[in-house]
Amino acid sequence: MENLNAKSHINILVLVAFFAAMTALGTSIRVPMPAAIGSPFVHVGNTVAILSVLLMGYRHGALAAGIGFAIFDILSGYAVEAPYYFIEIFIVGAAAIGTWRLVDFSTHKTFARLMMILLIASIAKLIMTLLHNFVKALIIGTNAPTAVSLSLASVFPTVINCVTTIVLAGILYWPLEKILNKMILNKGY
């Protein structure tokens, strides 16, 4: 029994490392976008991040994604942003897992329910981005109405990332779940 438990821990560690690396890689393949606040870009890191949460569970999946985003940020000159994005994935992941539980996805795995989970996670991501941009605009010295305008004007790349995440995660979830279920059955929810 002890050997099986050690093997399970090793599998989880390997999966966390794999999804962290894939999140960093997916974020590094990017298309820069213009914005009034920050220097956003379109990437598939969010897709990998949400898949890690859905496939490994909240704790391990959000940790893997947070580490992946932090690695990307530190290696790409965005180190000051790393703590924010590390925390953000735990919030977005909580929205996804909360919806998972609300729609009882574990026992009723349908495409419509998966889309609902991905949509709610994307809405959480949009809200977090709007709040983040609002605070950044305030920090640079704008007043609140201007900060709201700048935040809204800068949200378009996040909308593209969210749509991309919904489409790609909706396609990739089922085959990846099948592969991971063969590798490790304990998801650790």
Side-chain angles (χ1 to χ4, degrees):
M1 185 62 116
E2 187 175 315
N3 225 0
L4 180 63
N5 196 17
K7 184 179 179 183
S8 178
H9 287 300
I10 290 169
N11 284 343
I12 290 169
L13 183 62
V14 168
L15 285 173
V16 167
F18 173 76
F19 275 103
M22 294 308 296
T23 300
L25 180 64
T27 308
S28 68
I29 302 168
R30 59 189 192 250
V31 178
M33 299 288 290
I37 295 290
S39 52
F41 45 87
V42 175
H43 59 88
V44 295
N46 292 326
T47 301
V48 179
I50 201 66
L51 283 169
S52 71
V53 170
L54 296 179
L55 293 167
M56 291 193 303
Y58 176 69
R59 190 172 34 140
H60 296 116
L63 179 63
I67 291 170
F69 284 138
I71 290 169
F72 168 80
D73 288 337
I74 291 166
L75 295 178
S76 301
Y78 301 104
V80 77
E81 298 279 349
Y84 168 78
Y85 289 105
F86 187 86
I87 292 168
E88 182 189 71
I89 189 56
F90 279 88
I91 295 168
V92 172
I97 292 302
T99 307
W100 173 298
R101 291 178 180 152
L102 185 67
V103 301
D104 195 19
F105 190 70
S106 294
T107 56
H108 303 290
K109 290 193 172 188
T110 66
F111 183 73
R113 289 171 192 232
L114 176 62
M115 287 296 105
M116 183 179 295
I117 292 165
L118 296 171
L119 179 63
I120 297 300
S122 292
I123 290 169
K125 170 68 176 166
L126 282 169
I127 291 168
M128 292 300 298
T129 299
L130 286 167
L131 290 172
H132 185 230
N133 288 343
F134 176 76
V135 170
K136 283 170 62 174
L138 290 175
I139 289 171
I140 63 171
T142 63
N143 60 27
T146 303
V148 168
S149 296
L150 290 173
S151 184
L152 289 171
S154 300
V155 78
F156 183 68
T158 303
V159 171
I160 293 172
N161 279 328
C162 288
V163 170
T164 302
T165 297
I166 290 169
V167 171
L168 291 178
I171 293 168
L172 295 172
Y173 175 79
W174 304 106
L176 289 175
E177 182 198 37
K178 187 176 269 188
I179 291 166
L180 289 181
N181 278 339
K182 286 182 181 178
M183 289 175 56
I184 183 170
L185 296 175
N186 181 8
K187 291 187 179 181
Y189 289 107

